[in-house]
Amino acid sequence: MLTAQQALDHLLSHAKPVAEIESVPMQATLGRVLAESVNSLVDVPPLDNTSMDGYAVRTADTQNPGSVLKIAQRIPAGSVGTELQAGTAARIFTGAPVPPGADAVVMQEDCSNLEGSTDQVQVNIAPAFGQWIRRRGEDLTAGKTALTAGTFLRPQELGVAASAGLTHLNVKRRVKVAAFFTGDELSLPGEPLKPGGIYNSNRDTLLACIKALGCDATDLGIVPDRLDATRAALRQASQDHDLIITSGGVSVGEEDHIKPAVTAEGRLDLWQIAIKPGKPLAFGAVRKSEQANDGEAWFIGLPGNPVSSFVTFLLFVRPFILKLQGREANQTQSYLMRADFDWLKADRRNEFLRVKLNNNGGLDLFPNQSSGVLTSASWGDGLVDCPPNQPIKVGDLVKYIPFDALLK
Ligand code: AMP
Ligand code: MG
């Protein structure tokens, strides 16, 4: 049996980022992966400006609290003042450029208007040099890197690109993933259940995972437990896709056709991974045609149990996809958290338990950890990575992996 880390290392050693790059209007790049680093076109902010409503002053004029200055100019945001003369102050509003000669801003709460005078202000403090001034280029510098290659573009990255003046970004083309779901027992919601049947839940869980990672997802539907049907589905899936994901049929029973089908259409390793849920996992590739140089689509076959396929997708398929996308695919993000539960019957395998954050800063355990009970994952906020043969007692610190971090 492989450890989870060995399986992951093996997968990642094969994945190579897609090469094709597209120039896309910046507003349409949410969820895409930046292909090349981009430089800012401007300094951000473009000028020294005030972060407060108040008065721009020279600190030389305001060394003692109570200095009185003539209000010589008024600078709202979006306009530019003139050189600040000695003994004067500029009335200034948040975001407005600090005029040349001024070296501090005093917020209006620290000033008083003199009785009977509208053109004088009394400064009630001795401001520090540079106070309330946001410096030109303190956020971004013209010609310097604003966003680096491999960045997954979130709302805040789109904002950075806009502040840098960029209209288009070069992003990786989307990774194309085809999925099908094996099992004679499966029906789609809306259809009557067959005798001995069950609804196909993996379809919706896995397609949503694929889309959440920013991939194009193709649903090839339910495939019956027959070798010819499985081979035909693989041939179809290999066309125009980078990766084929399946659920079910990865054991070596008479009704499990993934291994012979992928072997006939390409190549396959069937792995036993020492994890729970999700022991069997198949990794290989499917030829796009009989022509040797037409290339292959990668293949990952997940177990059929709904929690097993979800967890193995998050632990193994996600990092593989990240690497195809050109993103950083290193260690899954985890946190040390307090277990507020006992898990005394530790397994020989590395277990991934469904848990929920509670209001006391600890983790609660879902009572039924069966790999068929998908409500455990829906109730839960994440997984506890429980090492082999290691019981957990109330109060122990455990490795917690939030689902949120894995679904992007
Ligand atoms: P398998 O890996 O094909 O042996 O399936 C293991 C278990 O998962 C069986 O109980 C199947 O009925 C169930 N299963 C397989 N595929 C799905 C699916 N797409 N949705 C829900 N349950 C499934
Ligand atoms: Mg099956």
Side-chain angles (χ1 to χ4, degrees), residues 181-183 185-186 196 198-203 206 222 225 247-251 255-256 280 302-306 309 371-372:
F181 311 92
T182 72
E185 72 277 35
L186 302 179
I198 189 167
Y199 283 125
N200 177 3
S201 60
N202 293 345
R203 167 187 186 267
L206 295 176
I222 295 167
D225 287 320
S247 81
V250 284
S251 302
E255 298 291 342
D256 295 311
L302 305 177
N305 274 307
S309 63
S371 61

Side-chain angles (χ1 to χ4, degrees), residues 192-308:
L193 277 180
K194 308 168 191 171
I198 189 167
Y199 283 125
N200 177 3
S201 60
N202 293 345
R203 167 187 186 267
D204 293 280
T205 313
L206 295 176
L207 291 175
C209 286
I210 293 164
K211 288 178 194 157
L213 298 183
C215 299
D216 279 340
T218 308
D219 176 15
L220 296 178
I222 295 167
V223 171
D225 287 320
R226 290 198 325 263
L227 183 61
D228 58 343
T230 311
R231 287 186 64 175
L234 287 169
R235 280 197 295 276
Q236 189 190 350
S238 69
Q239 305 307 304
D240 205 33
H241 292 103
D242 303 297
L243 173 63
I244 304 166
I245 302 291
T246 63
S247 81
V250 284
S251 302
V252 283
E254 281 164 41
E255 298 291 342
D256 295 311
H257 298 291
I258 287 294
K259 185 173 191 218
V262 182
T263 306
E265 297 294 332
R267 54 203 167 92
L268 183 91
D269 281 330
L270 192 58
W271 296 343
Q272 299 295 321
I273 308 177
I275 62 165
K276 194 177 171 188
K279 186 167 68 170
L281 192 90
F283 175 58
V286 176
R287 289 186 301 274
K288 287 185 187 282
S289 81
E290 292 306 320
Q291 250 64 47
N293 51 4
D294 278 353
E296 298 170 321
W298 291 113
F299 175 86
I300 303 179
L302 305 177
N305 274 307
V307 183
S308 306

